[in-house]
Amino acid sequence: MADRSRIQRKTDRQAKEAGEKTKDGKEVKNEGENVHDNGEGPSSELLSANDVTANDENGDLEVEPMELPPFEIIAGDRIDPFAFKFQFKNVEYSSGRNKTFLCYLVDKGNTANGLLRGCLEDEHAGSHAEDAFFTQCLSDYDPSLKYTITWYMSSSPCSACAAKIADVLNTKKNIKMSIFAARLFEFEEPEIQAGLKSLHKAGCKLRMMKPLDFSYTWDTFVENEDQPLNLWEDCKDNYEYYHEKLSDILQ
């Protein structure tokens, strides 16, 4: 798909995406629905007198900068469906999506543990979900086993996380890894491109999530209440856009 045609698509999408913009990375639903308080979005009640002040001259409300709470990693088996639809949406403009969701599968081969499955979510700034995976989910690493690890991520790793993952793969040859990403994180930045190339060189299989991958992730990792995923209109077009960009970086 030509870049010129995408420019018009981007303009058209901005109006649609405006309904999904968030405050501090928390979800706001569009399509005429109200904000869902599912642990993702703050209600208006959270804007206390300490957060909002009045301008004496014109009476306008001014929101004071809010200090973010301490960083934490949230681990679990399933993702909230509203969070998934917002955070994993493969839009070209990812305003408000300032956290990472990481769904993982770990196959340790012929062991009693079988296939491990779970999700990680990082909040604010600090150690990222990618780093937390190795410290929390692979803390019992056994060099005698053969690991096959698959990640489904809301966005591709940053340069620092890419370097850490590449180091793991270069030093632990019994780990094979595949990463499927909904979006590419800041892919125009040289250090991000270098990080993705280092992952590729270390043997990590990097792929963009296809429409079928979104449906699989929904069925496997989301509290979907047996409801099917209705993919958004431009899911396939956006996959092709990101696939082309990733191919250009890794060639």
Side-chain angles (χ1 to χ4, degrees):
M1 182 172 296
D3 286 342
R4 181 175 300 177
S5 63
R6 294 197 190 94
I7 293 175
Q8 182 59 45
R9 277 207 332 274
K10 291 178 183 178
T11 303
D12 295 339
R13 286 188 198 130
Q14 286 178 331
K16 293 170 59 180
E17 288 300 312
E20 296 179 329
K21 287 187 178 181
T22 63
K23 296 180 180 180
D24 299 316
K26 306 301 188 271
E27 177 189 2
V28 179
K29 292 195 65 185
N30 59 358
E31 300 177 358
E33 296 181 17
N34 294 327
V35 175
H36 289 263
D37 186 8
N38 54 20
E40 286 294 309
S43 68
S44 59
E45 295 174 356
L46 295 180
L47 292 177
S48 65
N50 293 329
D51 300 319
V52 181
T53 59
N55 186 303
D56 291 337
E57 295 183 358
N58 52 29
D60 292 337
L61 292 178
E62 296 180 355
V63 179
E64 295 181 346
M66 182 175 61
E67 183 177 353
L68 295 176
F71 167 81
E72 64 176 333
I73 293 288
I74 300 175
D77 295 327
R78 297 276 178 173
I79 298 175
D80 178 90
F82 300 114
F84 175 85
K85 290 178 181 179
F86 179 75
Q87 297 290 347
F88 273 84
K89 194 171 186 180
N90 61 348
V91 291
E92 295 176 32
Y93 293 95
S94 55
S95 176
R97 295 168 174 85
N98 58 354
K99 61 171 66 176
T100 300
F101 281 76
L102 189 160
C103 304
Y104 62 85
L105 296 170
V106 180
D107 187 352
K108 297 183 180 180
N110 296 324
T111 65
N113 291 333
L115 188 68
L116 303 181
R117 175 183 63 82
C119 310
L120 294 172
E121 169 191 348
D122 60 31
E123 289 276 1
H124 312 310
S127 178
H128 293 176
E130 298 95 320
D131 191 31
F133 171 82
F134 292 104
T135 58
Q136 296 185 18
C137 306
L138 221 61
S139 57
D140 60 346
Y141 167 77
D142 185 343
S144 67
L145 299 178
K146 291 184 178 180
Y147 292 82
T148 302
I149 299 173
T150 305
W151 288 357
Y152 295 90
M153 302 183 64
S154 55
S155 64
S156 59
C158 66
S159 57
C161 287
K164 292 179 181 179
I165 299 167
D167 182 62
V168 170
L169 296 178
N170 286 326
T171 57
K172 296 177 172 60
K173 297 299 184 180
N174 60 327
I175 294 180
K176 302 298 181 184
M177 192 163 191
S178 300
I179 296 178
F180 295 82
R183 300 183 305 277
L184 286 177
F185 174 73
E186 296 184 356
F187 61 89
E188 295 179 346
E189 299 297 327
E191 63 271 19
I192 297 294
Q193 296 184 11
L196 295 176
K197 289 179 180 179
S198 69
L199 277 177
H200 180 66
K201 185 177 179 180
C204 180
K205 294 182 179 179
L206 289 170
R207 302 286 187 273
M208 301 311 301
M209 290 178 65
K210 299 179 180 180
L212 186 62
D213 295 318
F214 288 102
S215 296
Y216 171 78
T217 307
W218 172 267
D219 292 338
T220 309
F221 298 100
V222 178
E223 297 175 351
N224 56 46
E225 297 182 349
D226 295 325
Q227 296 299 311
L229 174 65
N230 295 319
L231 291 170
W232 43 98
E233 181 180 356
D234 349 0
C235 182
K236 186 174 184 296
D237 288 344
N238 290 344
Y239 156 72
E240 292 174 348
Y241 169 78
Y242 278 123
H243 173 72
E244 179 182 341
K245 296 300 182 183
L246 181 60
S247 298
D248 290 343
I249 292 171
L250 298 182
Q251 69 180 3

